Amino acid sequence: MNIQLSISLLVSDRMETLGKCLASIKPLLRELDSELIAVFTGKNEETLELLRQYTSQIIPFTWCNDFSKARNAGLKEAKGEWFMYLDDDEWFDDTAEIIQFFKSGEYQRYNSGFYVVRNYLDLEGKRYTDTDVGRMCRLTPKTEFIFPIHENLEPFEEPNKKLRVFAHHFGYARKAKTDRKDTKTSRNLPILLEMLRKEPDSPQHCMQAAQEYRSIGEYENAVTYCRKGLESAQKEKRIYNYELWLQVNLPLLISYTGDLQLAIKEAERILRLPRTLEVAAVHLCVTLVACCRDLKEYRKGMKYVRLFHEKLSELRKDPDAALRQRAVGVTMDKAAEEEIPVYVEGLFFSAETDDMESACDILSWLPWDEENRISHLYPRLEEWKKKYSHMNDGILAGYNTLPTENLYVCLQKTLYAEKYGDMLCAENLWTTCAENCPSGFQWELIEIAVRNGFSLNILMNRMGPEAWSEYAAAVALKKEIKALEEFYRMIKPLLEEYPFYSRKLEQCYLERLLTSELLEPARPAVLLEQYCESVLTDAETLYRSEVLADPETYAIPSQYRFAVIVRDALSIINHGDLAGSISLLKAAVQVYPRMSAAVNQLLQSLEEQICSSGQAVPEEFIVLGGQVKQVLHGLMEKGQWEEAYSVMAQLVSLLPNDLEVLCMKQEILRCGTLEHGG
């Protein structure tokens, strides 16, 4: 009979996590020939009762500020071929890969193994860092733990197996950045400083001290120990993992102090060292790119984007070297997580220096065929195109050379073909995009179709009413009036087969006209009549007749109720009863304040007609002006400055001598200008 795996668990009295920890290793105890050894440093009987449910091997240990001694107490009792250790504030997410590693016999080909510890930085679990940790190894008579703090399991020999399994760890989470007592730092740091007093030139201890100071934001102290540790490490013949960590983190910690120029200088110095390994180089490039961005040293930044790509490519071709070169938080995989952000910075650097060749190179480096990695990047790429629109010809040409079926790239190739008049190619590419439209790019595809008269059927069949309503509202708001009128004229024939969609766009278009410009006296009535007809046609499609007959009872949307009221007011006006329409128009403004400007302009026209006919302006007219002021106050309180300005433009002409109105106008202008960065 043979024990494959000994699991050693260091247990205090953390009952809030011990249950999760034990439950997560239960599959290992069930599926493998394994044993659990609990080294108990606590005092509570409740903790012991829970442990006894999982193992009879409970070793009492009096805590003496020495993790290695505690770990070695468990190690001494281990009988397995392999040994694994963890803490009672860690628990596995899924142990299936570990089980398969041993059940398949694969473990016999390795001497040690890594898995991932997810270290949470807050108690809510929203921020965390993933670190590869060597917590498993073949058990030999020489196996032991060294160092009182941040203990090492030695010998930890190659070949290593890297597992994707990860364990949750909240030990370093704290309630606030300044809550030092809520972390392990207050416990670890005195032990480390005592170790350094005894061994002042130990690079391992210096690294650990730097880590602790970094965790509490004391970056100057962290830099001091980082420098000291690196100087000592460079005197050793062999390059150990702590030297790798120190190389990478010294410039990073300096950057945290705010001295970016010094951080760049230090990183460049370390890059020139013959002892600097490829994994360190890629991490250093990440720091250099960030510093160059903040200092606007774009040409230098581009140099390190290229070096990052070069070194990362070398490591991917030599996975064994990549696996060997690792320290806490310093691995090839960790650097690769920064690949897309680094390349994006490179795109901006290239544009700042008019370096189109580098931009095209970077576009070719991006992992276009890995949609799960690349899709979140599209908004940044659109920002890049928009910010450097003078380079769009070169940017589109760069996309056009990419050998990928990525739909975002396909969309750029469509724009390229359109620009150079290859309309058959443009339409074929457009169709491919429309059939599998990238999220968020339906709008641009519609714009392309309208410019070129492509059928919208593919997109319309894929877009739901909600998505179309969102699009219609946005396009009506964002386009200039003249451009909107031209766009509406061109798209209307393409929507003949989709009357509901056509009417929805028409309503947004008319709302924009009615709320955003001073119209000729006769035009508000014409446009309002057209608007009401469109809205009520939709209502007749969507609602039963009894609902439309009693809109207040059934609380149908305000847009429809407004249309009913204004339709009746226009009918009264057409029959010559100008004054009789005023109460209805007053009610319409209260129902749908967005259309106040159009109603006000119509009221002004009515006032002129009443005056020209010799009739006195009704008192209701003056009351309505006061109610429109209330609507305006409401818009101002909500910060809706553009809508407020549209209403104000009409109210000023209606009440030109009203000082309150003039003061409100000044406030709207001032606040609206500030909001837009003026």
Side-chain angles (χ1 to χ4, degrees), residues 383-427:
E383 178 189 343
W384 178 55
K385 282 175 56 184
K386 183 177 180 181
K387 183 173 182 179
Y388 304 102
S389 56
H390 65 283
M391 295 179 66
N392 269 1
D393 288 357
I395 291 172
L396 291 178
Y399 280 118
N400 199 53
T401 64
L402 298 177
T404 176
E405 295 181 0
N406 175 275
L407 290 170
Y408 177 80
V409 175
C410 183
L411 179 57
Q412 309 313 308
K413 291 180 178 181
T414 304
L415 294 169
Y416 180 83
E418 178 193 24
K419 181 174 183 61
Y420 290 98
D422 189 348
M423 299 316 299
L424 178 60
C425 179
E427 187 165 9

Side-chain angles (χ1 to χ4, degrees), residues 31 101 125 257-258 274 338 359 384 426 481 502 535 605 614 624 654:
E31 299 293 332
F101 178 62
T257 69
E338 301 298 322
W384 178 55
I481 292 296
S502 181
V535 170
S605 175
L624 179 57
L654 187 64

Side-chain angles (χ1 to χ4, degrees), residues 453-656:
F454 298 162
S455 170
L456 285 172
N457 290 358
I458 296 173
L459 277 178
M460 292 297 98
N461 291 334
R462 292 173 58 86
M463 287 185 75
E466 297 84 2
W468 177 260
S469 296
E470 181 184 350
Y471 167 73
V475 77
L477 179 65
K478 292 179 180 179
K479 288 185 179 292
E480 298 291 337
I481 292 296
K482 288 185 178 179
L484 178 61
E485 289 180 317
E486 178 66 12
F487 176 81
Y488 180 69
R489 181 188 66 78
M490 295 171 69
I491 197 174
K492 195 170 182 181
L494 303 179
L495 295 173
E496 288 180 353
E497 298 179 34
Y498 303 91
F500 175 81
Y501 288 69
S502 181
R503 286 194 300 273
K504 180 57 64 177
L505 180 62
E506 178 186 40
Q507 291 157 29
C508 292
Y509 162 68
L510 290 172
E511 280 197 15
R512 175 70 188 281
L513 292 181
L514 287 163
T515 60
S516 298
E517 68 172 348
L518 292 171
L519 301 169
E520 297 173 3
R523 204 172 178 201
V526 174
L527 293 179
L528 279 169
E529 186 174 9
Q530 184 182 346
Y531 175 80
C532 292
E533 180 183 351
S534 178
V535 170
L536 293 175
T537 300
D538 275 354
E540 290 167 3
T541 304
L542 296 171
Y543 300 105
R544 298 193 305 272
S545 56
E546 57 266 32
V547 174
L548 295 177
D550 192 5
E552 292 294 337
T553 299
Y554 289 95
I556 64 174
S558 56
Q559 186 184 27
Y560 298 118
R561 289 185 283 133
F562 172 84
V564 170
I565 298 169
V566 172
R567 178 195 59 187
D568 293 344
L570 292 173
S571 177
I572 291 174
I573 291 170
N574 290 337
H575 285 85
D577 185 2
L578 305 184
S581 69
I582 292 174
S583 60
L584 288 175
L585 293 174
K586 176 175 66 175
V589 170
Q590 294 298 319
V591 167
Y592 198 43
R594 177 175 174 76
M595 297 293 275
S596 298
V599 173
N600 285 338
Q601 194 163 349
L602 179 59
L603 287 169
Q604 183 181 2
S605 175
L606 292 176
E607 181 188 26
E608 291 172 356
Q609 293 179 53
I610 291 171
C611 290
S612 64
S613 65
Q615 302 177 40
V617 177
E619 180 65 24
E620 265 189 297
F621 216 88
I622 298 171
V623 172
L624 179 57
Q627 292 180 343
V628 173
K629 282 187 194 178
Q630 293 178 8
V631 171
L632 193 57
H633 277 298
L635 293 172
M636 292 170 67
E637 288 174 2
K638 295 175 183 177
Q640 297 175 352
W641 304 113
E642 290 188 9
E643 292 187 13
Y645 184 76
S646 297
V647 174
M648 175 59 68
Q650 306 304 325
L651 194 56
V652 167
S653 41
L654 187 64
L655 303 171

Side-chain angles (χ1 to χ4, degrees), residues 340-385:
I340 290 176
V342 165
Y343 292 161
V344 170
E345 294 297 349
L347 290 175
F348 282 82
F349 293 168
S350 65
E352 288 288 347
T353 56
D354 290 320
D355 183 1
M356 202 62 235
E357 180 182 354
S358 291
C360 290
D361 286 343
I362 294 170
L363 288 175
S364 72
W365 300 340
L366 286 165
W368 295 109
D369 297 326
E370 299 178 44
E371 185 65 19
N372 61 323
R373 292 184 64 201
I374 203 75
S375 58
H376 73 280
L377 176 60
Y378 300 151
R380 282 284 279 160
L381 293 174
E382 287 296 292
E383 178 189 343
W384 178 55
K385 282 175 56 184

Side-chain angles (χ1 to χ4, degrees), residues 298-311:
Y298 303 121
R299 292 190 188 280
K300 179 177 284 190
M302 192 65 237
K303 171 185 173 182
Y304 292 113
V305 172
R306 287 190 172 278
L307 184 60
F308 173 91
H309 176 70
E310 175 190 328
K311 295 297 183 182

